[in-house]
């Protein structure tokens, strides 16, 4: 297993739409193991394959207690409801945090690494993590979803000070 390099804001890999995962190969299992290790190393609670430069529809997410990690292949939101605003950050934009309004609950369909179809009903933090990570598969970053004035402030700060490489070690970066 290896810790992979997390792509940072400005890297074109973060803006591409990812391709569906096909067959589960040993290479794919190795990618999942590396992504899991990378997520732990970065103290994140979710990581999407495009964040490590792999253009596949694949995410890893920690469970509610942050103990086990689940890999979701081709995750898709099939139902959603409510609305809730909460603070968010991203391992690819270290040092930036802002409130993001998202659905309060989501129903996600995906496939497990063993090929089992999964249906996940999530609310709270888990719903937020799933929406954030699935956005990454479409090249969408959380700052695209914040208030335009806040977004401008974040962009100006990055331009002026650069990204704070040490700042990803924060409890709530995805
Ligand atoms: Ni992120």
């Amino acid at each position: 297993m290896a810790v992979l390099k997390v792509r940072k804001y400005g890297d074109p890999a973060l803006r591409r739409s990812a391709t569906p995962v096909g067959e589960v190969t040993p290479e794919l299992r190795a990618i999942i193991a590396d992504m899991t290790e990378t997520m732990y190393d970065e103290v994140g609670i979710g990581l999407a394959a495009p964040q490590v430069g792999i253009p596949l529809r694949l995410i890893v997410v920690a469970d509610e207690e942050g103990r086990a990690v689940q890999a979701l292949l081709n995750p898709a939101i099939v139902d959603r409801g409510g609305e809730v605003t909460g603070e968010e950050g991203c391992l690819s934009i270290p040092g930036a945090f802002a409130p993001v309004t998202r659905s309060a609950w989501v129903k996600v369909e995906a496939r497990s690494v063993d090929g089992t179809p999964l249906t996940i009903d999530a609310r709270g933090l888990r719903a937020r993590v799933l929406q954030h990570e699935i956005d990454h598969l479409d090249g969408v970053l959380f700052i695209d979803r914040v208030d335009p004035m806040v977004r401008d402030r974040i962009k100006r700060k990055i331009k002026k000070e650069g990204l704070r490489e040490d700042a990803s070690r924060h409890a709530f970066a995805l």
Side-chain angles (χ1 to χ4, degrees):
M1 293 212 291
V3 172
L4 306 169
K5 187 174 177 289
V6 174
R7 305 299 180 95
K8 298 289 154 58
Y9 181 72
D11 190 315
L14 294 172
R15 290 306 197 176
R16 288 186 200 118
S17 205
T19 310
V21 177
E23 211 186 322
V24 175
T25 59
E27 289 75 22
L28 189 82
R29 287 178 187 275
I31 288 169
I32 291 168
D34 288 348
M35 282 176 63
T36 302
E37 197 175 337
T38 305
M39 192 185 85
Y40 279 135
D41 184 67
E42 297 270 355
V43 202
I45 49 177
L47 187 70
Q51 290 183 277
V52 289
I54 296 162
L56 290 175
R57 302 192 78 81
L58 162 68
I59 64 175
V60 292
V61 288
D63 72 4
E64 261 130 314
E65 290 81 34
R67 286 193 291 243
V69 173
Q70 189 173 34
L72 301 179
L73 282 53
N74 303 328
I77 295 167
V78 295
D79 201 7
R80 65 201 313 157
E83 206 178 77
V84 66
T85 301
E87 182 96 336
E88 237 170 86
C90 180
L91 296 174
S92 294
I93 318 176
F97 299 92
V100 184
T101 302
R102 295 193 184 268
S103 298
W105 63 266
V106 290
K107 184 191 278 285
V108 171
E109 286 182 357
R111 196 154 55 87
S112 79
V113 72
D114 300 316
T116 318
L118 301 171
T119 302
I120 299 164
D121 289 296
R123 52 178 54 253
L125 177 59
R126 194 163 164 77
R128 179 168 297 277
V129 173
L130 287 166
Q131 290 172 83
H132 178 114
E133 301 309 339
I134 291 170
D135 265 356
H136 273 301
L137 305 182
D138 295 315
V140 174
L141 300 173
F142 86 93
I143 58 166
D144 302 334
R145 297 196 182 278
V146 304
D147 179 89
M149 274 171 59
V150 176
R151 178 163 59 239
D152 285 350
R153 201 176 67 218
I154 291 172
K155 284 185 174 175
R156 273 201 310 273
K157 190 166 170 266
I158 292 171
K159 226 174 186 171
K160 207 173 125 204
E161 302 168 18
L163 293 166
R164 287 172 47 200
E165 293 296 328
D166 61 325
S168 62
R169 290 172 199 285
H170 181 285
F172 195 55
L174 312 164

